[in-house]
Amino acid sequence: MLQNVNLLQVKGVKKHYPITRGLLRRQVGVVKAVDGVDLDIKRGETLGLVGESGCGKSTLGRVILGLEPPTEGEVFFDGQNVSSIKGEQLHQLRRRMQVIFQDPYSSLNPRRTVGKTIAEGMIIHDIGTSAERAERVREIMEVVGLRPEQINRYPHEFSGGQRQRIGIARALAINPDLLICDEPLSALDVSIQAQVINLLEDLQEKFQLTYLFISHDLSVVRHISDRVAVMYLGQLVEMAETEELFQNPKHPYTRALLDAVPVMDPDGAKERRKLGAEADAPILPDLCLFQPRCPQSMPDCAQSAPELIEVAPSHWVKCLAYDQAGTPKS
């Protein structure tokens, strides 16, 4: 059940990577992979994070997990500052945050059996005895739709969908609160994707999980998410409850993404908005990042940077086409 309590808070997070040149590796610029992101996720909620490849979605996920330190900003998980704690405190906190990777094969050690793979987290966090861990592995395998007698098999003996179930079982084995699902369906066949989506929804209800669901597939995001955040070149440009965003998109980039979603009926297809050429993302100035591609660009867009403003209840957008009151400018 969705609770009105924030489990995760991201405040002003930036992750910049230096660009160096020459023998002395002198810094000549920065790649702004994540550039000033603010968001929160409530307990039991699924927040969908969408955007083009390379927009910084996965980098933000790694910063949230504490796998990479932020250049600026803070990440709070259940009131604890992930960005500042270290050592045993961070080790214990990571037990409550797990990740499901995009490629279910490359994320699994081909030399480890399924049983050892799923039990690895329990060993690292010193959970239970050897017998208790073995029992937990069999239990969680059944929960995700695998047969316990497959415990001694290796990853290459499974299909893509089964390997993703192994990855989900590995993440669930240590009873996390937050799962970061990093494109968990993109490497799977469409028929298998539906099964994995249903599994994730069942597991969320059973274990009271919270999801950050990273994807570029808007149809999947619409099905599974409570709210959706749209990311462009390291910044959030729009965020709203799922149906509100799909029915009433405000940002030109969001509208372009929705226009690109395939439809079954060719006669009912919408006219797609044409965008300009992709900008040089790593070294763009601190202005409106979408302006070079925007079909609705105004003179102000090339002179000042927009702020994320609330244009409707719980509907936020970063666009100069709206004033501070959320009213479209004429």
Side-chain angles (χ1 to χ4, degrees):
M1 181 180 294
L2 185 63
Q3 301 179 28
N4 193 27
V5 178
N6 288 332
L7 178 66
L8 179 76
Q9 290 179 292
V10 177
K11 297 184 177 181
V13 163
K14 298 182 180 181
K15 183 59 183 178
H16 296 173
Y17 297 95
I19 302 173
T20 59
R21 288 180 185 168
L23 185 63
L24 300 178
R25 311 307 297 169
R26 182 171 58 90
Q27 182 173 330
V28 296
V30 292
V31 175
K32 299 179 180 181
V34 179
D35 195 30
V37 169
D38 294 279
L39 61 81
D40 55 71
I41 306 178
K42 299 178 176 62
R43 288 185 182 274
E45 181 183 33
T46 298
L47 176 68
L49 183 61
V50 302
E52 295 171 303
S53 296
C55 71
K57 304 186 300 293
S58 296
T59 301
L60 178 60
R62 290 196 295 271
V63 172
I64 289 172
L65 289 167
L67 299 178
E68 294 198 36
T71 304
E72 290 182 27
E74 297 174 309
V75 177
F76 292 89
F77 179 81
D78 203 14
Q80 290 185 278
N81 191 336
V82 179
S83 312
S84 63
I85 61 175
K86 298 179 181 179
E88 183 61 23
Q89 271 189 305
L90 181 59
H91 178 71
Q92 292 300 322
L93 192 62
R94 280 180 173 164
R95 173 179 172 178
R96 301 177 59 194
M97 299 186 293
Q98 292 295 301
V99 60
I100 302 171
F101 295 99
Q102 177 176 355
D103 188 340
Y105 189 67
S106 64
S107 66
L108 301 176
N109 189 332
R111 297 184 178 182
R112 282 180 177 267
T113 64
V114 170
K116 289 182 179 180
T117 296
I118 297 173
E120 184 177 10
M122 292 186 283
I123 295 172
I124 291 172
H125 290 280
D126 194 25
I127 299 173
T129 63
S130 178
E132 289 171 341
R133 288 195 290 266
E135 179 60 29
R136 173 64 174 167
V137 168
R138 290 185 173 87
E139 174 189 323
I140 207 70
M141 286 180 70
E142 286 191 294
V143 168
V144 301
L146 297 169
R147 299 196 307 273
E149 55 266 29
Q150 296 173 313
I151 193 170
N152 291 318
R153 294 187 181 181
Y154 290 86
H156 72 272
E157 300 180 73
F158 294 87
S159 68
Q162 288 175 320
R163 286 195 286 262
Q164 194 59 288
R165 290 173 188 267
I166 296 169
I168 294 171
R170 176 178 57 185
L172 289 177
I174 56 176
N175 294 315
D177 295 309
L178 173 70
L179 278 185
I180 294 183
C181 307
D182 188 5
E183 301 270 11
L185 308 177
S186 62
L188 305 179
D189 294 337
V190 174
S191 59
I192 304 301
Q193 289 182 9
Q195 297 175 20
V196 175
I197 292 172
N198 292 333
L199 173 63
L200 289 172
E201 290 181 324
D202 292 342
L203 293 174
Q204 183 174 36
E205 184 176 353
K206 182 179 180 67
F207 296 107
Q208 301 299 301
L209 295 169
T210 303
Y211 292 152
L212 174 60
F213 193 88
I214 299 170
S215 181
H216 60 267
D217 190 330
L218 288 170
S219 58
V220 170
V221 168
R222 184 174 190 174
H223 177 79
I224 199 171
S225 303
D226 298 298
R227 288 188 300 140
V228 178
V230 181
M231 199 167 186
Y232 183 74
L233 295 185
Q235 298 183 4
L236 294 187
V237 296
E238 188 163 4
M239 183 163 54
E241 293 184 1
T242 302
E243 286 308 308
E244 165 66 13
L245 185 132
F246 276 82
Q247 296 293 334
N248 191 25
K250 300 292 187 181
H251 198 281
Y253 178 62
T254 306
R255 291 197 288 266
L257 287 179
L258 295 178
D259 286 348
V261 176
V263 295
M264 297 297 293
D265 181 10
D267 295 330
K270 296 177 291 184
E271 182 180 352
R272 296 187 177 184
R273 292 170 174 83
K274 294 182 179 180
L275 302 181
E278 188 171 357
D280 191 0
I283 55 175
L284 279 171
D286 294 327
L287 301 174
C288 176
L289 300 184
F290 191 59
Q291 183 268 336
R293 304 177 68 190
C294 183
Q296 299 170 307
S297 177
M298 305 180 298
D300 288 350
C301 300
Q303 299 175 10
S304 58
E307 297 180 0
L308 196 65
I309 60 174
E310 191 173 17
V311 296
S314 301
H315 192 155
W316 299 79
V317 65
K318 180 178 285 190
C319 182
L320 291 173
Y322 299 89
D323 60 25
Q324 290 295 325
T327 305
K329 295 179 181 178
S330 57

